[in-house]
């Protein structure tokens, strides 16, 4: 979804990918940012928090009237319907990220 948003063009692809992974881990309650992830990504959890919050905001308040191709594609069963996953509550996400 970030490919359609000009605001994310300034972010490095590696930081964007790491932030997406942290958000996914948090949304699915699969644990946090481990030392192994920190080592191989080069990012500390705290470095990713602002971008993780922006990504969750993008998922929460996405425009539904145009640019539906990505959402439609990833709503399909082949892609495990990941576009249908409910975004996290912003306050809950904030609490979880503070504890990381």
């Amino acid at each position: 979804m970030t490919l359609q948003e000009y605001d994310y063009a300034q972010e490095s692809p590696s930081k964007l990918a790491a932030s997406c992974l942290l958000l996914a881990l948090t949304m699915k309650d699969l644990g946090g940012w481990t030392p192994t992830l920190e080592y191989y990504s080069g990012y500390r959890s705290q470095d990713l928090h602002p971008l993780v919050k922006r990504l969750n905001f993008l998922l929460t308040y996405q425009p539904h009237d145009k640019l539906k191709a990505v959402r439609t594609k990833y709503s399909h069963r082949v892609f495990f319907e990941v576009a249908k996953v409910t975004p996290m509550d912003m306050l809950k996400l904030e609490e979880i990220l503070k504890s990381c």
Side-chain angles (χ1 to χ4, degrees), residues 33-66:
W33 202 246
T34 64
T36 303
L37 289 170
E38 183 177 328
Y39 176 80
Y40 285 107
S41 71
Y43 295 106
R44 296 177 314 138
S45 175
Q46 293 79 11
D47 299 336
L48 303 174
H49 290 180
L51 188 51
V52 168
K53 292 176 196 174
R54 285 178 49 211
L55 289 167
N56 191 60
F57 186 84
L58 176 65
L59 291 174
T60 304
Y61 299 104
Q62 56 188 311
H64 292 285
D65 55 340
K66 54 186 174 179

Side-chain angles (χ1 to χ4, degrees), residues 18-35:
S19 298
C20 289
L21 178 59
L22 179 55
L23 180 59
L25 290 171
T26 306
M27 289 174 78
K28 298 302 265 178
D29 198 23
L30 296 173
W33 202 246
T34 64

Side-chain angles (χ1 to χ4, degrees), residues 8 15 84:
Y8 293 91
K15 187 172 186 179
K84 294 180 180 179

